[in-house]
Amino acid sequence: MSNKERVDGEFIKPIIYGNRAYRLPEKLPNNHTHRWTVYVRSYNNEKLSNYVRKVQFKIHSDYKNPIQVVENEPFEITETGWGEFHVQIKLYFIDPMERQVLCTHYLVLHQPEYSDENGSKFVMKECYDEIIFVNPL
Ligand SMILES: O=C(Nc1ccc(C(=O)N2CC(c3nccs3)C2)s1)[C@@H]1CCCN1
């Protein structure tokens, strides 16, 4: 149990969660056409791991490891696939009194499309949200 004193007040932690996807140069033998990364990160420069203990990603049950837990930054998972589906992202906090936060993200592979600094095309979809801590540690 933490011996830290709690701080009175409300503290807002802005986060971003979403995915990036890249079309594979060639379809894989298992018909996978894209490589994608699903992630959750801080909206500002604060380290998410200052208050997040681990993140659980739940992807489609067809995957060999449909539930993946990440305990260190970056809080992300990367897989290959051929389609779009809902991903469940559950944040667990260092403060044992804090309940988990559940985010749901619809994985995108086809749009909206962007170009990176090398001119490579990728697809990205992100969502902004805020975690509000009341009288945190
Ligand atoms: O696409 C969709 N659902 C999908 C579920 C799983 C997908 C996928 O990409 N993969 C499963 C994984 C494996 N392949 C081989 C062994 S496990 C690669 S796609 C729906 C259908 C209509 C709209 N979206």
Side-chain angles (χ1 to χ4, degrees):
M1 205 64 170
S2 167
N3 56 4
K4 280 178 66 180
E5 290 294 315
R6 291 195 173 277
V7 180
D8 284 339
E10 277 193 4
F11 296 82
I12 295 174
K13 300 290 187 185
I15 62 169
I16 296 285
Y17 59 87
N19 83 274
R20 283 189 177 214
Y22 295 84
R23 179 174 283 278
L24 296 169
E26 287 181 19
K27 189 184 284 192
L28 297 179
N30 55 13
N31 283 327
H32 291 192
T33 54
H34 291 76
R35 179 176 308 287
W36 49 258
T37 298
V38 174
Y39 51 84
V40 59
R41 59 178 174 79
S42 170
Y43 178 70
N44 48 35
N45 294 326
E46 182 179 4
K47 281 172 68 77
L48 211 53
S49 51
N50 284 349
Y51 55 91
V52 170
R53 175 164 56 90
K54 63 181 181 179
V55 177
Q56 175 186 276
F57 296 89
K58 198 170 184 180
I59 61 179
H60 198 277
S61 55
D62 287 356
Y63 280 86
K64 190 175 177 185
N65 299 312
I67 297 178
Q68 300 183 35
V69 177
V70 180
E71 299 195 345
N72 301 293
E73 301 211 55
F75 292 112
E76 64 185 39
I77 61 169
T78 297
E79 293 283 355
T80 59
W82 47 264
E84 302 177 317
F85 51 84
H86 284 99
V87 177
Q88 187 187 89
I89 305 170
K90 188 181 281 188
L91 283 70
Y92 293 77
F93 300 105
I94 291 173
D95 181 350
M97 300 302 286
E98 289 292 345
R99 298 172 66 104
Q100 294 88 34
V101 161
L102 186 60
C103 307
T104 302
H105 173 68
Y106 192 73
L107 179 85
V108 292
L109 301 185
H110 306 294
Q111 57 182 357
E113 195 171 71
Y114 301 87
S115 291
D116 66 18
E117 58 280 359
N118 305 317
S120 299
K121 294 192 183 306
F122 66 97
V123 168
M124 179 176 69
K125 182 83 172 130
E126 294 187 337
C127 182
Y128 172 91
D129 207 335
E130 295 174 344
I131 302 172
I132 300 173
F133 292 104
V134 178
N135 304 336
L137 279 178

